[in-house]
Amino acid sequence: MGSDVFDVIISGGGPTGTMLAAELRLHGVDVVVVERDAEPTRLVRSLGLHQRSIEILDQRGLLERFLANGTQYPGGGRFAGIASPQPVALDTAHDYILGMPQPVTDRLLEEHAAELGAHLRRGTELIGFEQDDEGVTAELADGSRLRSRWLVGCDGGRSLVRRLLGIGFPGEAATNEWILGEGEVTAAADEVAAVSEVVRTTHRGFGIGPSGDGRYRAVVPAASVSEDRSTPPTLDEFRTQLRAYAGTDFGIHSLRSLSRFTDATRLAERYRDGRVLLAGDAAHIHPPLGGQGLNLGIQDAFNLGWKLAAAVRGCAPDGLLDSYFAERHPVADEVLTLTRAQSVLISAEPGAQAVRRLLTELMGFADVGRYLAERVAGIGIRYDFGDGPELLGRRLRDVRLSQGRLYELTRDGRGLVVDRTGALTVAGWADRVDYVSDRSDERSDDVSELIAEVDAPAVLLRPDGHVAWIGEEQQGLERELRRWFGAE
């Protein structure tokens, strides 16, 4: 292909766009990411990765480099700032939160995509496109035009791609706004901590704490909702609001980043129009309570990548690409429900505080704490694959097999059959699906954890790690191979 013709154009070089580019490159798809910013942003919109996103990094062999750049914190057990009174053990080999400023996450995912051969064009943005039966022609701000077979809008909550498609974005407009900044302070650390603790007893939308390298990250309610939220706040505005809520601005100076965010909550009516798709914030926006936004986008990309790659290669079975919307739209809808609930629970209004006290008591029950923690962490998702065992449609946690860890076998983004019988075959799909015979048993010195994890002879995992089939019959396996990976 020429330099201006690609299989896929991705508009937006944030974590969703670069994760999607990397997933496509695992399958040899020629992809270009178009990003407006000439340099990586310094804005710290997210502070960490949840358990399911950490599993995804492990599945692609990226976890070690992320662990080297982040900090592990105890995972699970918090909802709307309410701490579970007892530890919540989640069904994952990575039961922790990985603290990491978003610019670091952005950098590592961009490096990963580049290593796999994705193209990145910075300093220009998509300003228009036209699609036909064969593909999409995109126009960039620098006057150049690109041609591709598919276009994916990963261009944020004010997505131009979504607006040009005319896709509805129903939900609630912003009623509250916050200012978020990171910089140095002159106040002593113990003073900052003491003031924050006092203010947060009545204003849970306020917070300030260390962000590393001697800097502090502060969030404070704005005076009002801005008419133009694309205009960044000023340092004077930030200091004024800090003094209004905390009685001091902590002597904040030398800002590294300053931005605003709101509680606007919206969900796209569709994720696809012809040869154009949406992912990440372009498809859904919500308050950052629980820190789910970046994680949700990465998980969108993980679900979409292998399906779009199959469409590019011409081996996608009917309905595969549309299953992206069918599976991810309900997940986003649930995240919006969770963030709406948390928005209410942080309110200082008496009714909201009464509900907060009741939920605090309920979280004393282990099942309640685990239910909420699983949903925030993203590991409680079950896609609807039809009737079957409880594990069908869920992601399979990392388990030890006789050949090594399960996630070590998924690095190439292909399907995987783990067969304890040794009698099954993926012949006809070997270019898309790997096969592992795991015949260890309880009498072996090298017992497979799959025996305890899955009470079945064999499983088929999709490239995103979700269980697509559990059984022992070759005929049943082949039916599901055709369903998810196309004809032989």
Side-chain angles (χ1 to χ4, degrees):
M1 290 187 180
S3 59
D4 292 330
V5 180
F6 300 90
D7 292 324
V8 177
I9 299 169
I10 297 174
S11 177
T16 302
T18 51
M19 184 71 196
L20 178 59
E23 289 297 291
L24 292 168
R25 285 301 303 153
L26 286 176
H27 302 279
V29 174
D30 193 19
V31 58
V32 60
V33 180
V34 178
E35 168 55 45
R36 175 187 60 192
D37 293 337
E39 300 293 335
T41 181
R42 299 171 66 184
L43 293 179
V44 182
R45 297 187 179 94
S46 168
L47 285 174
L49 297 167
H50 291 156
Q51 288 89 338
R52 180 54 188 148
S53 297
I54 294 168
E55 289 184 339
I56 286 172
L57 297 176
D58 193 7
Q59 287 179 254
R60 294 299 183 259
L62 296 173
L63 186 55
E64 290 305 317
R65 69 174 75 178
F66 274 78
L67 290 177
N69 286 273
T71 303
Q72 296 181 41
Y73 297 100
R78 296 187 71 87
F79 188 79
I82 304 171
S84 174
Q86 54 186 314
V88 177
L90 299 181
D91 180 33
T92 175
H94 302 290
D95 193 8
Y96 54 88
I97 302 295
L98 185 59
M100 178 177 293
Q102 184 171 336
V104 179
T105 301
D106 291 350
R107 173 176 60 82
L108 295 176
L109 289 177
E110 184 177 320
E111 290 173 356
H112 174 54
E115 289 166 4
L116 292 174
H119 305 276
L120 178 63
R121 294 195 179 185
R122 283 194 170 275
T124 188
E125 62 181 318
L126 182 143
I127 60 172
F129 63 85
E130 295 179 352
Q131 63 171 313
D132 52 51
D133 292 342
E134 301 299 321
V136 181
T137 301
E139 181 181 356
L140 305 187
D142 62 9
S144 62
R145 297 169 71 87
L146 303 178
R147 178 70 178 173
S148 68
R149 298 168 68 181
W150 297 88
L151 167 68
V152 185
C154 300
D155 50 344
R158 292 186 288 271
S159 170
L160 176 66
V161 173
R162 185 190 65 244
R163 286 186 279 123
L164 290 177
L165 289 173
I167 292 178
F169 204 38
E172 301 89 53
T175 57
N176 295 284
E177 182 175 301
W178 293 263
I179 302 174
L180 173 65
E182 183 183 27
E184 300 176 24
V185 301
T186 58
D190 56 351
E191 177 189 349
V192 174
V195 171
S196 179
E197 182 177 359
V198 171
V199 177
R200 282 184 57 78
T201 60
T202 54
H203 297 288
R204 297 184 183 278
F206 172 92
I208 183 170
S211 60
D213 298 327
R215 290 187 295 271
Y216 278 77
R217 185 176 189 263
V219 59
V220 62
S224 62
V225 177
S226 305
E227 292 185 8
D228 182 5
R229 290 188 292 279
S230 64
T231 302
T234 65
L235 176 57
D236 285 343
E237 182 183 356
F238 190 35
R239 286 172 171 165
T240 296
Q241 291 308 109
L242 287 172
R243 289 193 295 268
Y245 280 83
T248 175
D249 61 15
F250 305 97
I252 196 160
H253 65 95
S254 304
L255 291 183
R256 183 178 184 178
S257 64
L258 189 62
S259 61
R260 63 177 87 243
F261 65 88
T262 73
D263 59 356
T265 305
R266 298 184 181 279
L267 180 59
E269 292 177 335
R270 294 174 284 131
Y271 285 10
R272 178 186 175 190
D273 185 309
R275 289 183 170 267
V276 185
L277 299 109
L278 303 174
D281 288 351
H284 37 69
I285 59 170
H286 55 83
L289 299 166
Q292 294 175 263
L294 180 147
N295 292 271
L296 186 60
I298 288 175
Q299 292 160 32
D300 280 350
F302 202 58
N303 182 285
L304 174 60
W306 65 280
K307 298 174 180 177
L308 183 54
V312 170
R313 300 197 317 269
C315 61
D318 291 343
L320 179 66
L321 194 53
D322 288 331
S323 73
Y324 163 61
F325 173 76
E327 293 172 2
R328 297 303 299 172
H329 188 270
V331 172
D333 194 31
E334 180 170 293
V335 170
L336 267 59
T337 295
L338 292 176
T339 55
R340 285 184 178 110
Q342 292 179 85
S343 295
V344 172
L345 289 167
I346 67 171
S347 168
E349 294 296 321
Q353 288 303 300
V355 176
R356 185 181 183 88
R357 289 191 294 272
L358 176 60
L359 182 61
T360 300
E361 294 178 11
L362 291 174
M363 287 178 66
F365 295 94
D367 287 347
V368 175
R370 183 173 298 105
Y371 175 87
L372 293 173
E374 284 183 348
R375 272 139 188 81
V376 172
I379 65 172
I381 296 168
R382 186 188 190 208
Y383 298 139
D384 184 6
F385 293 172
D387 295 334
E390 176 63 22
L391 188 61
L392 184 68
R394 295 186 181 274
R395 106 281 183 252
L396 183 58
R397 70 188 297 271
D398 190 26
V399 294
R400 182 169 55 88
L401 307 176
S402 56
Q403 297 88 346
R405 292 196 300 117
L406 175 68
Y407 284 4
E408 292 175 339
L409 304 175
T410 65
R411 300 287 161 83
D412 294 332
R414 294 155 53 89
L416 176 66
V417 170
V418 182
D419 178 16
R420 286 171 48 203
T421 72
L424 299 173
T425 177
V426 296
W429 290 271
D431 60 330
R432 287 155 276 173
V433 181
D434 293 325
Y435 171 87
V436 173
S437 178
D438 189 61
R439 303 187 65 182
S440 59
D441 58 38
E442 295 180 347
R443 294 168 294 181
S444 169
D445 292 333
D446 189 19
V447 63
S448 167
E449 290 182 349
L450 192 67
I451 295 173
E453 189 72 17
V454 184
D455 185 21
V459 296
L460 167 64
L461 299 184
R462 303 192 318 182
D464 59 359
H466 282 256
V467 178
W469 173 79
I470 302 172
E472 60 182 326
E473 299 291 337
Q474 180 68 32
Q475 183 177 5
L477 172 60
E478 291 183 358
R479 181 185 65 247
E480 296 305 314
L481 287 169
R482 285 190 291 270
R483 174 183 179 183
W484 296 110
F485 298 97
E488 298 179 66

